[in-house]
Amino acid sequence: MRAVFVLITVACSLLILPTRSSEQPVGATIDFSQSRSQWLRYGYDSENQVLDQWQSLLERIESLPTDEKLRQVNEFVHDALKYRLDSDLWNREDYWASPLETLAHGMGDCEDFVIIQYVSLLSAGITDDQLRLIYVRARIGGPASPITRPHMVLGYYPTPGAEPVLLDSLMEDILPARERTDLTPVFSFNSSELWAGGAGASAGSSTARLSPWRDVLNRMRSEGVSFNVSR
């Protein structure tokens, strides 16, 4: 996570970040036949049913209201995963895992929780003009504590410029941003663009600026995840 933080140092005090992209909204589809083939190619446990459970979840919630999609995706991810640092799981300081990698291990850190939640919600019909992966500084030890650490959450914005609700690996509750006074946003991004702090204009391509994001998107495509313009 430290390697990402040094890329952009602009911070702002609110989580009211831009939601309108210059591009058309993007959704995602998952070819689970390809995912299963890659799962076996990786040598993951063929008896593990979590991939079937993930597919069943996404099919079940596709027609549900948005708040129910958020609730069920968040619940699934928290039930399926345990929090584990990259240094313990991957023997690396910072590694952004694909949903397949995360589900196979049954654990991950904040980015891994956010990435599978993001892909799940895109697959369930929410477009990425309403979703942001938000890189923040999280205050540890209470409101007066000077101690912060890098962290990532997922923001859902019901309308452009609205206050988001946040999905977080550190808690199962989905809360509006105003209640997360422990978080200070640094930048946000989606499948194609990146925004620094609270600036309204795009700061450029997310894949060009964030090499871990570019790498995990490429891995996801090889595992059956397709990002496509929503019609």
Side-chain angles (χ1 to χ4, degrees):
M1 182 67 84
R2 185 188 309 165
V4 179
F5 181 64
V6 298
L7 292 177
I8 297 181
T9 57
V10 177
C12 64
S13 60
L14 297 174
L15 279 162
I16 309 302
L17 297 175
T19 63
R20 199 176 286 280
S21 168
S22 60
E23 305 295 332
Q24 290 178 278
V26 170
T29 57
I30 303 173
D31 182 342
F32 277 95
S33 295
Q34 184 176 342
S35 298
R36 288 186 181 84
S37 295
Q38 197 69 5
W39 181 278
L40 297 175
R41 193 173 296 121
Y42 285 158
Y44 293 151
D45 183 3
S46 60
E47 300 300 316
N48 191 332
Q49 300 298 308
V50 70
L51 196 56
D52 292 335
Q53 294 165 4
W54 188 35
Q55 181 179 10
S56 177
L57 166 77
L58 299 184
E59 291 173 349
R60 185 173 68 249
I61 67 174
E62 187 172 6
S63 62
L64 296 180
T66 296
D67 59 347
E68 193 62 21
K69 292 179 181 181
L70 295 170
R71 187 190 68 79
Q72 291 199 31
V73 164
N74 186 60
E75 184 178 89
F76 171 80
V77 171
H78 277 273
D79 286 347
L81 305 180
K82 295 180 180 178
Y83 191 90
R84 185 66 58 86
L85 294 174
D86 289 335
S87 57
D88 295 330
L89 182 57
W90 300 102
N91 199 28
R92 303 187 197 182
E93 182 179 340
D94 191 39
Y95 181 75
W96 293 16
S98 70
L100 243 62
E101 293 172 313
T102 301
L103 288 173
H105 287 83
M107 56 189 70
D109 68 356
C110 58
E111 311 99 62
D112 306 326
F113 274 67
V114 166
I115 288 168
I116 190 172
Q117 288 169 332
Y118 174 70
V119 172
S120 297
L121 292 170
L122 287 180
S123 176
I126 297 177
T127 53
D128 72 351
D129 60 335
Q130 292 184 295
L131 296 171
R132 292 288 181 271
L133 298 89
I134 308 172
Y135 188 84
V136 301
R137 298 292 303 188
R139 188 180 303 105
I140 307 299
S145 172
I147 301 172
T148 65
R149 73 178 186 188
H151 186 51
M152 190 179 289
V153 297
L154 182 67
Y156 167 74
Y157 299 77
T159 59
E163 177 189 27
V165 295
L166 304 179
L167 286 70
D168 190 343
S169 61
L170 298 180
M171 61 175 62
E172 295 189 27
D173 292 338
I174 300 175
L175 298 176
R178 66 179 177 274
E179 295 185 22
R180 296 302 308 275
T181 56
D182 57 318
L183 304 180
T184 300
V186 180
F187 65 89
S188 64
F189 61 99
N190 63 13
S191 62
S192 59
E193 292 191 74
L194 180 147
W195 292 264
S202 170
S205 164
S206 59
T207 54
R209 301 292 297 275
L210 300 171
S211 59
W213 183 231
R214 180 175 63 249
D215 292 345
V216 73
L217 286 176
N218 287 335
R219 260 178 283 129
M220 282 194 279
R221 291 186 180 98
S222 74
E223 296 166 2
V225 179
S226 299
F227 296 90
N228 40 63
V229 174
S230 177
R231 300 297 181 186

